[in-house]
């Protein structure tokens, strides 16, 4: 049975890009008699808002999408803790005490990209590490050690085909944050496996993250779903839609009287409202 999911973060309102992912995931499940899940990724305690959860669910209903299960990441923290413990026992993660400013000052990256962590805390002497554990810290994956242990890995994308995983390009990624019990990488990998998700539909902006997820799947002995990274919706300025850039919200379209079911039908056929276009996958 095909199981898909839509997993928004309640840190803002949904826009057309979110609608495209939700509609495609829902259509894939329903076309095969499968299940469509909604998972609210609400473990970012500093930015998640209950009012955004209500708006997200109202948007999905407006689009005519019905879900078979609704879950919240904040209720699944024990799963993430167990996964992190399993990696910690194998010495595949280490505590990092660096601040963002320290990382930015010591790392380099191409323009517009986040800096790759230079591994400052990876080689801390055991005594110094133990002495600093009372300080705020995150947990990072020892990427070189993890890649060596896992060996060559592949994953499949509906558009790109067979893809060789290259997670090392992203450095020692964070798996548990200073201000949250899990990072996106760890939580989404654990949740998709626990919920039996077989097909993941999401935007092409998350394509690179899949390399890391494939590695975590191997390290934690998790099943590997099929991926469907769709092109992003671009605004009139040619830039991808994003919450932080003030993309038009679905709630605004609802308030303007737009027919949500008709919009969903158009999105299933890649027909976008005037002023929007699909970018490259």
């Amino acid at each position: 049975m095909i199981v898909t999911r839509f997993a928004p973060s309640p840190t803002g309102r949904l826009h057309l890009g979110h609608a495209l992912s939700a509609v495609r995931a829902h259509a894939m499940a329903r076309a095969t008699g499968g299940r469509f899940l909604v998972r609210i990724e609400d473990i970012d305690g500093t930015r998640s808002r209950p009012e955004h959860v209500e708006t997200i669910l109202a948007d999905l209903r407006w689009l005519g999408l019905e879900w078979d299960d609704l879950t919240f990441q904040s209720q699944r923290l024990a799963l993430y803790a167990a996964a992190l413990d399993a990696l910690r026992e194998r010495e595949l993660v280490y505590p990092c005490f660096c601040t963002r400013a320290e990382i930015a000052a010591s790392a380099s990256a191409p323009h517009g990209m986040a800096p790759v962590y230079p591994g400052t805390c990876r080689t801390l002497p055991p005594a110094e590490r133990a002495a600093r554990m009372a300080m705020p810290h995150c947990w990072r994956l020892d990427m070189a050690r993890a890649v060596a242990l896992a060996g060559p890995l592949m994953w499949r994308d509906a558009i790109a085909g067979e893809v060789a995983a290259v997670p090392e390009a992203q450095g020692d990624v964070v798996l548990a944050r200073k201000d949250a019990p899990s990072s996106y990488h760890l939580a989404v990998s654990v949740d998709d496996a626990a919920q039996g998700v077989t097909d993941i539909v999401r935007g092409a902006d998350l394509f690179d993250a899949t390399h890391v997820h494939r590695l975590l799947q191997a390290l934690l002995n998790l099943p590997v779903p099929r991926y469907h990274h769709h092109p992003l919706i671009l605004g009139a300025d040619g830039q991808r839609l994003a919450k932080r850039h003030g993309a038009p919200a679905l709630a605004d379209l609802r308030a303007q009287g737009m027919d949500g079911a008709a919009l969903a039908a158009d999105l299933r056929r890649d027909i976008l409202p005037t002023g929007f276009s699909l970018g490259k996958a």
Side-chain angles (χ1 to χ4, degrees), residues 75-113:
Q75 300 172 354
R76 306 170 66 81
L77 302 185
L79 291 175
Y80 315 141
L84 188 65
D85 283 344
L87 296 173
R88 191 184 291 116
E89 289 174 2
R90 298 163 71 188
E91 299 184 347
L92 292 172
V93 295
Y94 62 89
C96 173
F97 310 94
C98 298
T99 65
R100 291 184 179 180
E102 290 170 340
I103 294 172
S106 61
S108 62
H111 179 69
M113 295 181 62

Side-chain angles (χ1 to χ4, degrees), residues 56-255:
I56 287 169
L57 298 181
D59 287 339
L60 295 179
R61 294 188 186 100
W62 172 68
L63 290 167
L65 308 184
E66 298 178 351
W67 49 88
D68 298 292
D69 189 37
L70 172 64
T71 57
F72 293 80
Q73 282 190 334
S74 56
Q75 300 172 354
R76 306 170 66 81
L77 302 185
L79 291 175
Y80 315 141
L84 188 65
D85 283 344
L87 296 173
R88 191 184 291 116
E89 289 174 2
R90 298 163 71 188
E91 299 184 347
L92 292 172
V93 295
Y94 62 89
C96 173
F97 310 94
C98 298
T99 65
R100 291 184 179 180
E102 290 170 340
I103 294 172
S106 61
S108 62
H111 179 69
M113 295 181 62
V116 174
Y117 180 66
T120 307
C121 291
R122 187 192 318 116
T123 56
L124 285 178
E128 181 178 354
R129 179 177 293 176
R132 299 177 68 176
M133 286 303 292
M135 298 171 54
H137 60 276
C138 66
W139 286 89
R140 290 184 179 274
L141 181 67
D142 186 331
M143 184 62 75
R145 184 180 178 89
V147 167
L149 179 63
L153 299 170
M154 303 291 295
W155 54 278
R156 183 167 184 79
D157 181 75
I159 296 177
E162 292 292 327
V163 180
V166 192
E168 54 268 39
Q170 300 184 48
D172 291 0
V173 296
V174 172
L175 296 187
R177 292 166 38 186
K178 293 179 181 179
D179 59 350
S182 177
S183 72
Y184 168 73
H185 292 308
L186 182 63
V188 74
S189 300
V190 169
D191 282 338
D192 287 334
Q195 294 187 286
V197 174
T198 64
D199 292 77
I200 296 176
V201 180
R202 59 190 181 191
D205 55 328
L206 290 170
F207 188 95
D208 288 345
T210 308
H211 293 281
V212 175
H213 301 170
R214 180 65 189 91
L215 175 60
L216 290 174
Q217 290 156 3
L219 296 175
L220 296 169
N221 195 29
L222 304 177
V224 183
R226 294 176 292 267
Y227 290 90
H228 308 258
H229 290 95
H230 61 73
L232 303 180
I233 296 182
L234 308 180
D237 59 359
Q239 299 298 310
R240 74 180 184 91
L241 302 185
K243 294 177 184 178
R244 64 180 180 275
H245 296 154
L250 297 184
D252 294 332
L253 301 181
R254 280 197 285 123

